[in-house]
Amino acid sequence: MARIEESKRTYIEELATNPRVNLMVLSERINIAFHEDESEVSLSEKIAEKLYDMPQLITKLLQQEAIEFLLQCWDMEGESLIAEMYAREIEQLHFLGFLSYEDDTILLNMEAKDNFFFSLKSRRVQEELEEGTRLENILFGMLFLYGILDIYECCQMIQEEMFPELTYDELEEFILLRIVFWQSGILLRNQMNSRLLLASREVENRNEVFIQWSLREDLSWKRYSEDEYKNLALGNGIGGWDGIPELYDFVMKNIENDQYKVMMIVKSLVVKIQNGLTYEEITSAYVNLLDEEDKEHQRILCELIRTLYKTVPLYSLKGHTRTEVEEESQEARFHVIQGGKE
């Protein structure tokens, strides 16, 4: 258990406890000019000044869970909680100088509370946080499906179906600010057309994905509903594709009975399929999890993998499955020409 107490540091001193590289990243994201050899204190002074002038940046930087945890801590001063359950939130809040965690004690920065308490408690901020979470989950779902997002095209999809008032500049700003705390994506810039790209760390060969996109320019992005994107985000990229429940049950009964480890096995298999590995490459990697003499269970596992191989969307196919592309190809081959012989 961690006790919640007041920090004796000023807000600038609290910010300066961050590694200098973190302060440089934050300065870059909120558009502060700095020098490579600038001190932690100097960087912290500039960051504090910018956040005091533009407190709305905080809600764009921090995830909703982090601000809710901060509000909870402010109400629990002198009490205790299990800090390990909030490791990600504590990391974000320390990054912005709201608190630190030392010797099983959460130290709240009171200068930060004095300056930001009322703005973070407002109804407007709560609405902005909810909208930010909604947009974030849509983006995560898209990232799990497509592997790499062209932010310009991504914005068009979001505008058409989910956020009609969203502008490209707003989306780009949101990603540039929020990605500081995202573990799953990295930013790329196309040197030819300057377009911004967001790439999943689960994509094993980005160049191959780009090549396949260019070879299939006729293939449009597979559109999913907002709920489907959000469910994928909440499910860590595992969707309700045919074969997922059966594979999960099979692994639980025959390979591993720890739920977390089972989920990691299923997740790693899905990622291999999304990256375009062949059926043979995937099956050879996973049948080894079974006893070499257990031919019947090996056969069942191969059948389960084959089902997923056809129903899991591929990065190179812009979120389409192999089955969908094969069916479209068959329809094109056997298209009936109207106006034949009477």
Side-chain angles (χ1 to χ4, degrees), residues 103-298:
D103 302 324
D104 291 328
T105 303
I106 294 174
L107 298 169
L108 298 175
N109 188 273
M110 303 314 292
E111 187 179 334
K113 181 180 179 180
D114 291 341
N115 281 279
F116 301 114
F117 177 83
F118 290 107
S119 62
L120 293 181
K121 274 280 196 177
S122 71
R123 180 177 296 179
R124 177 184 58 80
V125 164
Q126 295 305 308
E127 292 173 353
E128 289 176 358
L129 287 173
E130 290 175 3
E131 287 294 278
T133 298
R134 179 185 167 208
L135 180 56
E136 184 176 69
N137 284 332
I138 291 169
L139 288 168
F140 284 167
M142 288 182 164
L143 203 57
F144 282 129
L145 280 165
Y146 310 128
I148 304 172
L149 301 179
D150 181 316
I151 303 303
Y152 180 79
E153 294 185 0
C154 172
C155 184
Q156 289 184 317
M157 285 191 278
I158 293 174
Q159 287 171 334
E160 291 171 10
E161 304 292 339
M162 293 156 277
F163 280 83
E165 304 300 322
L166 183 72
T167 67
Y168 175 82
D169 289 341
E170 289 170 339
L171 179 61
E172 183 172 296
E173 181 193 36
F174 179 83
I175 293 172
L176 287 170
L177 291 173
R178 190 63 68 91
I179 198 172
V180 173
F181 300 117
W182 288 349
Q183 304 298 318
S184 57
I186 57 175
L187 286 173
L188 309 170
R189 180 74 72 176
N190 187 320
Q191 297 302 315
M192 300 293 291
N193 57 23
S194 296
R195 279 194 181 183
L196 188 68
L197 303 166
L198 179 62
S200 169
R201 297 183 186 276
E202 294 177 350
V203 177
E204 295 178 359
N205 189 334
R206 293 194 295 269
N207 286 336
E208 181 61 24
V209 173
F210 291 135
I211 290 170
Q212 292 300 318
W213 286 359
S214 66
L215 293 176
R216 296 299 308 269
E217 290 184 350
D218 61 309
L219 190 64
S220 61
W221 297 87
K222 172 70 181 294
R223 302 296 184 95
Y224 293 80
S225 70
E226 179 174 337
D227 284 343
E228 287 173 315
Y229 289 126
K230 288 158 69 173
N231 288 338
L232 267 173
L234 297 175
N236 192 31
I238 298 178
W241 304 300
D242 290 346
I244 287 289
E246 293 81 1
L247 178 65
Y248 188 93
D249 290 343
F250 178 88
V251 175
M252 178 67 76
K253 291 175 182 176
N254 301 288
I255 298 176
E256 181 59 68
N257 60 9
D258 180 276
Q259 289 190 357
Y260 177 77
K261 292 180 180 178
V262 171
M263 186 58 67
M264 289 301 98
I265 290 172
V266 174
K267 171 66 175 177
S268 65
L269 196 154
V270 167
V271 170
K272 288 182 185 298
I273 294 172
Q274 289 180 304
N275 275 288
L277 271 68
T278 66
Y279 171 75
E280 290 74 19
E281 289 172 326
I282 297 169
T283 52
S284 64
Y286 286 90
V287 293
N288 291 331
L289 298 174
L290 294 165
D291 189 288
E292 187 176 352
E293 304 301 319
D294 193 351
K295 300 300 182 184
E296 177 59 17
H297 279 139
Q298 288 184 11

Side-chain angles (χ1 to χ4, degrees), residues 54-77:
M54 301 180 66
Q56 67 270 23
L57 288 174
I58 295 170
T59 57
K60 294 180 180 179
L61 283 161
L62 292 176
Q63 294 177 306
Q64 184 174 8
E65 296 85 353
I67 292 182
E68 289 176 348
F69 175 69
L70 177 62
L71 297 175
Q72 177 185 349
C73 287
W74 282 342
D75 289 337
M76 290 179 62
E77 190 177 335

